[in-house]
Amino acid sequence: SALLVGVGGSGRQSLTRLAAYITDTTVAQITITKSYGINNLLEDFKPLYRQAGCAGKAVTFIFTDKEIKDEGFLEYINIFLNTGELPNLFARDEVDAILGEVGLAFEQQMPKGTEPTAANLWAFFLNRVRSHLHLVLCFSPVGDKFRNRARMFPGLINGCTVDWYLPWPQTALEDVARARMTTFELDAD
């Protein structure tokens, strides 16, 4: 998972989407409405879990600081970043369906003799979720909110690779342009 820190318009989401496209990863992002709450966030996580854990497909979940309607959202993000799972996300019947879906992949990928017990299947599912579901948090460093959230939810820093999006100095831009444009032929007409 990654924490991309930069002011609005610095390219955090655009570069995330580009990287996801290059790596053939599905991108997901929530749409905030007036009535959007923690239960909606958890419901939005369910298909991501199933895609990552059952299907074994890579998923990138983009979450921006503008989408934090309730600080409780960060509590769940923090739990996921620290443990790789969200407790009590699925009802018992949903868990049973998931265990059935991962059974074939479990048999193909686990060493011979490993029993497909419910605990082993669930652990296999969660390991696949941890491997394939990536959170990309796009936060702004402006103001006190970023500092306070980093202090209150340590998983935001500890569970992510932090990347700062800073403006390039003018000399760096000119050096890159010179290095790349010297061999580029322009038609002066």
Side-chain angles (χ1 to χ4, degrees):
S1 296
L3 172 61
L4 309 182
V5 182
V7 295
S10 59
R12 298 165 298 174
Q13 290 185 59
S14 299
L15 287 174
T16 300
R17 291 179 189 281
L18 177 63
Y21 176 78
I22 291 170
T23 59
D24 196 26
T25 302
T26 303
V27 175
Q29 190 169 11
I30 61 175
T31 303
I32 295 294
T33 61
K34 286 183 180 181
S35 61
Y36 195 92
I38 291 175
N39 290 334
N40 300 103
L41 178 68
L42 295 176
E43 285 299 317
D44 285 342
F45 261 102
K46 285 182 180 182
L48 304 178
Y49 259 67
R50 292 183 83 109
Q51 187 174 359
C54 296
K57 294 184 179 176
V59 181
T60 298
F61 180 65
I62 300 174
F63 189 73
T64 69
D65 52 1
K66 303 246 187 290
E67 295 164 346
I68 302 172
K69 192 173 174 187
D70 181 349
E71 292 292 315
F73 288 8
L74 290 176
E75 185 65 40
Y76 285 99
I77 298 292
N78 188 56
I79 290 169
F80 178 82
L81 291 170
N82 285 326
T83 65
E85 68 176 296
L86 292 173
N88 303 319
L89 181 63
F90 295 103
R92 184 72 231 163
D93 60 328
E94 292 173 311
V95 170
D96 292 339
I98 287 169
L99 297 181
E101 287 180 48
V102 300
L104 181 61
F106 179 87
E107 290 175 9
Q108 292 173 347
Q109 295 179 12
M110 296 304 287
K112 292 244 186 241
T114 306
E115 291 293 320
T117 63
N120 287 343
L121 288 169
W122 188 250
F124 176 76
F125 170 75
L126 289 178
N127 284 334
R128 287 177 66 153
V129 168
R130 288 181 190 112
S131 296
H132 299 298
L133 178 56
H134 308 285
L135 297 185
V136 177
L137 309 173
C138 300
F139 289 177
S140 172
V142 178
D144 293 336
K145 284 186 177 182
F146 178 71
R147 181 179 60 242
N148 293 336
R149 289 173 175 160
R151 195 173 35 239
M152 288 174 50
F153 306 106
L156 298 178
I157 305 296
N158 299 335
C160 293
T161 299
V162 181
D163 193 4
W164 288 80
Y165 282 64
L166 302 172
W168 280 41
Q170 184 69 26
T171 55
L173 291 171
E174 291 171 2
D175 290 344
V176 169
R178 276 191 204 94
R180 297 292 178 195
M181 300 299 283
T182 55
T183 60
F184 188 76
E185 294 184 28
L186 293 174
D187 187 9
D189 294 337

